[in-house]
Amino acid sequence: MTTVAEQVGTLLADLGVGHAFGVVGSGNFHVTNALRAAGVPYVAARHEMGATTMADAYARTSGEVGVVTLHQGCGLTNALTGVGEAAKSRTPLLVLAAETAGSAVRSNFRVDQDALARAVGAVPERVHSPASAAADVVRAYGICRDQRRTVVLNLPLDVQAAPAVSAPAPARTTWRAPRPDPASVAELARLLDGAERPVFVAGRGARGARAELEALAERCGALLATSAVAHGLFTGAPWSLGISGGFSTAPAAELIADADVIVAWGASLTMWTTRHGDLTARATLVQVDDTAEALGAQRPVALGVLGDVAATARDALEVVGTSPGYRTPAIAERLRMHGPDVPDEVVGDRIDPRVLSAALDDLLPAERTVAVDSGNFMGYPAAYLGVPDEAGFCFTQAFQSIGLGLATGIGAALARPDRLPVAACGDGGFLMGISELETAVRLGLGMVIVVYDDAGYAAEFHHFAGDDHTTVRFPDTDLAAIAAGYGCTSAVVRSTADLGVVGDWLAGPRDRPLLLDAKVVSDGPSWWLAEAFKGH
């Protein structure tokens, strides 16, 4: 007899699930083993938040639907921060959440799982009965894949255990992004034709549209920038400004702020990308997005274009005129000279995070995937560690939770095993997510984990300068020794002279993580943090 749990796992494999993550309990035991039996690789994490973040990062990096399986009740509540992050980021993530049987009204595991999903922005769905199971799974998977939504698919235990109803799975209805309205495209072209200093800001919705955006930018003379989550989209482009917003270099921020027309392509224009609106205040602002609700949601726009990014850029290229725009010899010289500031090294007990990041950028292979946790340190790896393309940067920071960086690095590593994974964490976030260090060691992941260790929650002790910092500063911890206990290669880094371990590790088998406990200087807030706290 095939059960509904087995049917669900087999059907998801048939639909194309490439990887699954989770923490197994009694409620998700059978569906997880059904996925595995159907050939879906599975990673057993040590905490549900870690498992969910791994699945999120896998989805972002691979472009596939991520899948995580959870126990009922507490398994889902443990995962909620990861589910909220994925939902806010519009990650196509399918959360297979076991649920208490309808009759188990006194179960200690019973919570309103639909309400929990809605509370963090996910879409609640359910396998209602054996007869509807196949249709329920196909519907939930389609919402993930085609609408880029995070879906919590509740699997009641009594339905899971019931005999499956043998019937063909329904065909999946495919949703496609809309083609832009010709009048909107004509208005976009008119604005670009009149622009002297146009800038394109590409977001996550522009991934895969580099060629179309570069062709249009070349025609109208636009400079190119990205939001943080799309970092790497224009790597190597001569007219690229890098990241727009808090992580911008000073020259890039000046050029964006001086633009007369800014077009956001699949970018939501958050306060981080616009520096609380300062970077876009003097420009005519245009937003192109395939979701109507996104247009003008964060910033008032002069023109909102509903349409697929690549299709809109192609259509605009057909009608826009040719102009040098912002691409003048003087601007080319400014771009040639611009880059993140790297001070001279002053050798002491602690290393400057800019010196550390620049040195690592030189030492590590260019083919890399960089995952960044949240904290005062986060601008350093974002700005100083180059990435080969938009798949090379994984930034699970829509919810701004610390503690996701290590799990993000693991999920991204499994999505791109051909690249060196680099997880950048603060000491606070690393210790919060340290349970997944065992997962990385168990998987034999050859990843570099860089802990920017200032022995505290720097965002807080810099923000509340002059106050009592007892609650946000801690004794120095030998994180390298802890990592060695887990089975990592590890080293304490106080100067660039201590980075010789990196070359030795790179030359070796890379069959375990390398953890660098970098004791960093923290005598002031990072430039991005000072900018961010203006709005708090």
Side-chain angles (χ1 to χ4, degrees):
M1 180 192 76
T2 299
T3 65
V4 170
E6 293 166 338
Q7 179 189 26
V8 169
T10 302
L11 179 53
L12 285 171
D14 291 343
L15 287 169
V17 170
H19 219 104
F21 303 80
V23 176
V24 169
S26 58
N28 61 329
F29 183 86
H30 293 300
V31 72
T32 300
N33 279 340
L35 283 165
R36 294 176 59 246
V40 176
Y42 173 79
V43 170
R46 289 298 191 171
H47 191 280
E48 287 90 349
M49 187 174 79
T52 305
T53 302
M54 290 176 202
D56 181 359
Y58 182 89
R60 297 183 197 220
T61 305
S62 67
E64 301 175 4
V65 173
V67 171
V68 61
T69 77
L70 306 172
H71 187 271
Q72 65 271 28
C74 53
L76 178 58
T77 58
N78 277 346
L80 273 184
T81 295
V83 176
E85 167 61 35
K88 288 177 180 292
S89 296
R90 293 290 296 272
T91 298
L93 176 65
L94 182 61
V95 181
L96 301 177
E99 187 179 44
T100 55
S103 61
V105 294
R106 299 298 181 190
S107 171
N108 59 306
F109 291 126
R110 192 173 187 85
V111 292
D112 190 340
Q113 297 192 178
D114 281 359
L116 289 174
R118 290 192 189 95
V120 295
V123 178
E125 287 285 347
R126 172 171 280 95
V127 173
H128 293 278
S129 69
S132 68
D136 295 334
V137 170
V138 170
R139 181 181 65 252
Y141 182 83
I143 293 170
C144 287
R145 184 179 185 88
D146 297 331
Q147 299 182 34
R148 301 191 318 277
R149 298 296 301 274
T150 294
V151 174
V152 175
L153 180 62
N154 292 303
L155 304 172
L157 295 182
D158 51 347
V159 178
Q160 283 196 56
V165 173
S166 180
R172 180 170 62 86
T173 301
T174 300
W175 178 87
R176 293 282 183 257
R179 183 79 178 265
D181 172 60
S184 297
V185 173
E187 178 63 12
L188 170 60
R190 186 189 68 78
L191 291 172
L192 290 175
D193 285 341
E196 296 180 354
R197 298 178 305 281
V199 170
F200 288 178
V201 178
R204 191 174 171 194
R207 292 177 62 157
R210 173 172 178 164
E212 291 84 354
L213 291 177
E214 285 191 333
L216 182 60
E218 174 71 22
R219 178 73 60 82
C220 67
L223 303 183
L224 299 165
T226 71
S227 65
V229 292
H231 178 40
L233 179 61
F234 299 122
T235 292
W239 297 98
S240 173
L241 299 170
I243 300 173
S244 170
F247 300 154
S248 293
T249 63
E254 291 171 3
L255 289 168
I256 295 169
D258 285 343
D260 55 0
V261 172
I262 294 176
V263 185
W265 300 89
S268 55
L269 295 172
T270 65
M271 63 179 182
W272 312 107
T273 302
T274 65
R275 291 194 177 182
H276 302 283
D278 290 346
L279 296 184
T280 58
R282 296 195 295 273
T284 297
L285 193 55
V286 179
Q287 189 177 7
V288 179
D289 206 284
D290 63 13
T291 303
E293 293 79 8
L295 298 174
Q298 299 278 353
R299 298 278 147 204
V301 295
L303 174 65
V305 181
L306 180 63
D308 175 73
V309 165
T312 303
R314 284 195 299 269
D315 288 355
L317 186 64
E318 295 295 319
V319 292
V320 76
T322 301
S323 169
Y326 224 158
R327 300 188 175 193
T328 66
I331 297 299
E333 180 63 17
R334 288 179 68 180
L335 290 180
R336 190 180 68 81
M337 300 297 294
H338 105 287
D341 175 52
V342 183
D344 293 332
E345 181 173 12
V346 178
V347 177
D349 289 339
R350 292 187 170 270
I351 186 171
D352 188 297
R354 296 167 294 178
V355 172
L356 169 70
S357 303
L360 288 172
D361 188 51
D362 290 338
L363 287 169
L364 299 175
E367 285 294 314
R368 63 182 75 143
T369 305
V370 177
V372 181
D373 208 334
S374 187
N376 179 64
F377 78 95
M378 63 196 287
Y380 301 115
Y384 287 77
L385 297 182
V387 293
D389 53 33
E390 69 268 35
F393 191 69
C394 199
F395 195 62
T396 47
Q397 282 308 307
F399 208 4
Q400 216 177 337
S401 170
I402 70 169
L404 306 186
L406 178 57
T408 299
I410 294 171
L414 293 168
R416 289 302 302 262
D418 57 320
R419 290 180 169 176
L420 175 73
V422 181
C425 306
D427 54 299
F430 173 72
L431 287 168
M432 186 177 288
I434 197 171
S435 59
E436 302 309 342
L437 193 57
E438 188 278 333
T439 305
V441 172
R442 172 166 33 93
L443 294 175
L445 292 181
M447 66 186 300
V448 177
I449 303 164
V450 186
V451 182
Y452 290 74
D453 183 0
D454 55 16
Y457 298 138
E460 280 64 43
F461 64 67
H462 288 312
H463 183 50
F464 298 103
D467 288 334
D468 181 356
H469 293 160
T470 304
T471 58
V472 293
R473 287 189 183 271
F474 303 95
D476 197 26
T477 302
D478 191 346
L479 300 178
I482 294 172
Y486 274 92
C488 297
T489 301
S490 61
V492 174
V493 176
R494 299 184 184 275
S495 73
T496 54
D498 297 325
L499 292 175
V501 65
V502 175
D504 295 339
W505 180 86
L506 288 171
R510 302 192 205 177
D511 57 356
R512 63 191 63 200
L514 168 65
L515 182 132
L516 302 176
D517 180 9
K519 307 297 187 181
V520 296
V521 174
S522 189
D523 52 7
S526 61
W527 84 97
W528 79 266
L529 184 71
E531 184 67 41
F533 274 133
K534 290 179 181 178
H536 288 266

